[in-house]
Amino acid sequence: MPLIVQKFGGTSVGSIDRIRSAAARALATQRAGNDVVVIVSAMAGETNRLLALAGEISPLPDAREVDSLASTGEQVSAALMALAIQAQGGKARSLLGHQLKILTDSAFSKARIKAIDAQRLHDTLGQGTIAVVAGFQGVDDAGNITTLGRGGSDTSAVAVAAAVGAACEIYTDVDGVYTTDPNICPTAKKIERISYEEMLELASLGAKVLQIRSVEVAMKYGVPVHVRSSFSDAPGTWVIGEEQSLEKVTVTGVALDRNEARVMLVGVADRPGIVAQTFGALARENISVDMIIQSPSVHAIQPGSDEGSIRTTDVTFTVTKADLPRAQHIMESLTAAVGAREVRYDEDIVKVSIVGLGMRSHAGVAARMFELLAAERINIEAISTSEIKISCLLATKYAELAVRALHDGFGLGANT
Amino acid sequence: MPLIVQKFGGTSVGSIDRIRSAAARALATQRAGNDVVVIVSAMAGETNRLLALAGEISPLPDAREVDSLASTGEQVSAALMALAIQAQGGKARSLLGHQLKILTDSAFSKARIKAIDAQRLHDTLGQGTIAVVAGFQGVDDAGNITTLGRGGSDTSAVAVAAAVGAACEIYTDVDGVYTTDPNICPTAKKIERISYEEMLELASLGAKVLQIRSVEVAMKYGVPVHVRSSFSDAPGTWVIGEEQSLEKVTVTGVALDRNEARVMLVGVADRPGIVAQTFGALARENISVDMIIQSPSVHAIQPGSDEGSIRTTDVTFTVTKADLPRAQHIMESLTAAVGAREVRYDEDIVKVSIVGLGMRSHAGVAARMFELLAAERINIEAISTSEIKISCLLATKYAELAVRALHDGFGLGANT
């Protein structure tokens, strides 16, 4: 019998009524001749409520206890979903991380799945029962409860689908992945099919439909993922392997990330090892750096200064706004050591990116992007590229204008 | 190192501030030179909130899922308690039913503990860590989460204390066990020491300080239990073995139970098997019967009735008010079969009981009880006795008067 994994996110189980609707959908899928595994998130708001309790007690609560605390949100949803399926005449059984044996490493709050006991799942399904799996949670070798990080239920769902060789439906409060944010660009349209690689770039660039790690797992095991709305029956977006992706368009989507901040080291002595020293210090503090640009200093040496004889350079990089205070702290202790004349911080920036598999084979995509921005008189502060994406750092005030210009300029609009 | 088990009930962990206070108490106990195991209930109101969610979905929700749902309340408390101990500079680790291996049978919602992994507990304590155990919950052989029934955290605490050979402190919102309800009788006083047997009779008679099963477990394994207030340092009541109980008073306490209802079968044919038929039908429906009185019918046979030739009897018994609707349903289908002329129901009654080990050796306690009630012109509707208690059924209006008359008449008052 075909097996389908259905994951319902926090808004899709946000009330008893919504849980009933999700249960009805799972039962309809079963009646259509499928075995069904349901993965649930915590009811919307519940994880935040639990974390706030921990936060009241301690600013830096122990991660093991926080995981045990936070995992109760999905435990509650799983039991309620099983009860809702039963109340509609079906058979259902909830399975927690330690019951299904979703074995993870011991990295509390960001654990990685090592193995899933597919046999236990098959045993449950073999009795005509819908297995309801608590998402987000696992268990380590010592029996400690772990969690997979924010949005971890997506990863649970894809990993379970991989373990049993099923397709995975992700039910959420949007009806698919869009070419860009429809709130910014009214011509944005739903993407029918997108490759894992493109989805990864879009996810990491701010299109928060799927947790990035779930896409990595889907790609690794070739799990077809269908992102769709829990409030309609319309098909959503299929996230699939490149070879199955029919639409070989140049640019698939435009992403906007408002979450970065820029750090500029001005007038750094241009000696070997200076850059390594800076980024080594950041890495030790677990601060991820995104874009890095190094250029000869454009700042004139002041007349009469001793520094006239030393060549200097400017180093610019971006970190997340959340990491900026810690980055500032590190930079202040480093400024003297690296010999920077000045450090500047700028939170008034955004990153706009275009993503598409077609870029590999189409020349001139970057040039076209810069043209489209220039036509709107938008200044580009920094650029970074990969095989299938190009990102530009811009002043925040240009964010929406740039997204619309690129989206329609690359012909992604519904009516173009 | 001496080991102390401390259990904190729902009101004692009812807010973050109260959790902090309980954590401080556990740490003070540890600093005084003890190993400490803390057992926690769910935060006050939480279990009801969770059960209400299940009730919204189904009037008779599946017990396995309800247990998985309800057990999250204690899981949350355990994590928060561990965090609170850590925040005050201590070491702590939460242990859930499946982590400590509190092995139970599979009777969901009323599971019984079969074994506890004391080694796991000792391993945790051996590192100077306070073990925080989630009360109320266990795990069966198949890894299903079970719960021990209302007030089950008391049983968890006593069972853990038994497993490691420790004394057990039960912190609650009253400061001990009283000779009777102080709200009814202002002269009620705190009992310093009470035997397991007496506590069992008081617990089952409505003095809801300790879950009855926890007292059974304490008696079976000889665990000394200290019931005391989480809001003061004053000693509470020790529940201990009979041989350690110093106060050999005749009557230890007076209990009032407002929870019973009376069923009277009037004019039942006095044939063998009639009574067995009635109580067999109730037992099959899992309805517990408390007092049973059979007496020759006092109702005159109506003149000219055919029944004049048949001897009849009246049968009176009590069930809980909650069971009364089901009992009525059974009685209606049985009335014809048992040949009763009439069935009467009465919810306007209470049961007042006196309890005391001394009754065994003191004659005349029952007679004194009836005298005291008679002196207040209180009519006794029914009587039942055991080795260490005597219960009388009375009209509800006499409840408080009877309690005060017996309490002071047997010299239990603070100033008598």
Side-chain angles (χ1 to χ4, degrees), chain B residues 265-268 270 293-300 311-315:
Chain B
L265 304 178
V266 180
V268 176
D270 194 5
I293 301 101
Q294 187 174 357
S295 53
S297 189
V298 294
H299 301 273
R311 284 188 54 198
T312 62
T313 181
D314 293 350
V315 177

Side-chain angles (χ1 to χ4, degrees), chain A residues 158-179:
Chain A
V158 172
V160 165
V164 294
C168 182
E169 297 184 331
I170 305 277
Y171 287 92
T172 178
D173 51 359
V174 297
D175 60 359
V177 180
Y178 273 69
T179 48

Side-chain angles (χ1 to χ4, degrees), chain A residues 5 14 19 21-22 66-67 74 95 121 146 162 164 178 193 214 240-241 308 314 321 343 356 388 403:
Chain A
V5 174
I19 290 174
S21 302
V66 170
D67 277 12
E74 281 72 17
L95 292 171
L121 213 47
T146 57
V164 294
Y178 273 69
R193 290 154 175 261
S214 72
I240 48 181
D314 293 351
K321 286 193 166 82
V343 187
I388 64 166
V403 167

Side-chain angles (χ1 to χ4, degrees), chain A residues 52 73 104 145 224 235 293 309 311 327 369 394:
Chain A
T104 72
I145 292 177
I293 300 101
S309 56
R311 283 188 54 197
M369 181 181 192
L394 312 172

Side-chain angles (χ1 to χ4, degrees), chain B residues 58-392:
Chain B
S58 168
L60 275 173
D62 178 55
R64 176 187 185 272
E65 300 304 333
V66 170
D67 277 12
S68 186
L69 178 71
S71 70
T72 61
E74 282 71 18
Q75 183 167 336
V76 167
S77 298
L80 294 177
M81 180 66 76
L83 290 174
I85 292 170
Q86 291 167 355
Q88 291 173 39
K91 288 169 71 179
R93 199 173 172 82
S94 70
L95 291 171
L96 304 175
H98 61 90
Q99 291 172 333
L100 176 53
K101 273 268 186 255
I102 298 182
L103 190 70
T104 72
D105 60 23
S106 301
F108 295 113
S109 86
K110 50 180 187 294
R112 287 183 174 262
I113 295 174
K114 287 160 47 174
I116 289 178
D117 186 351
Q119 192 52 52
R120 175 77 197 257
L121 214 46
H122 284 301
D123 290 347
T124 303
L125 297 167
Q127 303 150 19
T129 301
I130 293 178
V132 181
V133 177
F136 182 57
Q137 61 180 247
V139 67
D140 72 5
D141 282 320
N144 296 307
I145 292 177
T146 57
T147 69
L148 311 179
R150 275 281 155 152
S153 292
D154 289 342
T155 303
S156 303
V158 173
V160 165
V164 295
C168 182
E169 296 185 332
I170 305 275
Y171 286 92
T172 178
D173 51 358
V174 297
D175 60 358
V177 180
Y178 272 71
T179 49
T180 196
D181 182 347
N183 295 318
I184 292 176
C185 188
T187 60
K189 67 174 183 192
K190 190 167 66 188
I191 301 171
E192 273 181 52
R193 289 156 174 261
I194 188 171
S195 70
Y196 299 123
E197 293 84 349
E198 289 167 317
M199 192 66 223
L200 275 179
E201 295 289 4
L202 285 174
S204 62
L205 291 171
K208 300 198 178 69
V209 184
L210 275 178
Q211 196 206 25
I212 186 164
R213 209 182 320 152
S214 72
V215 183
E216 291 169 2
V217 174
M219 181 160 74
K220 183 170 174 188
Y221 296 100
V223 176
V225 176
H226 189 185
V227 180
R228 55 192 302 196
S229 167
S230 53
F231 308 120
S232 92
D233 288 322
T237 299
W238 280 94
V239 188
I240 47 181
E242 193 180 331
E243 62 285 359
Q244 303 162 273
S245 173
L246 294 175
E247 302 163 81
K248 295 287 183 194
V249 296
T250 312
V251 173
T252 304
V254 179
L256 170 64
D257 186 351
R258 299 179 182 275
N259 206 27
E260 299 213 358
R262 176 166 58 168
V263 179
M264 280 178 291
L265 304 178
V266 180
V268 176
D270 194 5
R271 288 196 312 264
I274 295 288
V275 170
Q277 194 175 351
T278 305
F279 294 107
L282 292 167
R284 276 192 297 279
E285 291 295 314
N286 240 326
I287 297 175
S288 296
V289 172
D290 182 16
M291 304 169 96
I292 302 176
I293 301 101
Q294 187 174 357
S295 53
S297 189
V298 294
H299 301 273
I301 302 300
Q302 305 208 336
S305 160
D306 286 352
E307 299 174 39
S309 56
I310 305 172
R311 284 188 54 198
T312 62
T313 181
D314 293 350
V315 177
T316 299
F317 60 89
T318 62
V319 297
T320 64
K321 285 193 167 82
D323 281 340
L324 186 61
R326 290 194 302 139
Q328 278 180 300
H329 186 75
I330 293 168
M331 285 306 118
E332 271 149 35
S333 65
L334 271 182
T335 310
V338 302
R341 189 185 312 130
E342 188 190 350
V343 187
R344 293 183 201 159
Y345 306 97
D346 186 2
E347 293 193 76
D348 192 25
I349 53 145
V350 296
K351 187 170 69 172
V352 174
S353 309
I354 56 173
V355 172
L357 283 179
M359 287 184 199
R360 287 185 197 150
S361 45
H362 284 67
V365 176
R368 177 82 183 125
M369 182 181 193
F370 306 150
E371 273 171 30
L372 287 166
L373 294 174
E376 301 291 346
R377 313 188 75 79
I378 296 171
N379 201 38
I380 299 172
E381 307 281 329
I383 299 165
S384 76
T385 62
S386 80
E387 212 180 354
I388 64 166
K389 80 159 181 201
I390 305 168
S391 301
C392 291

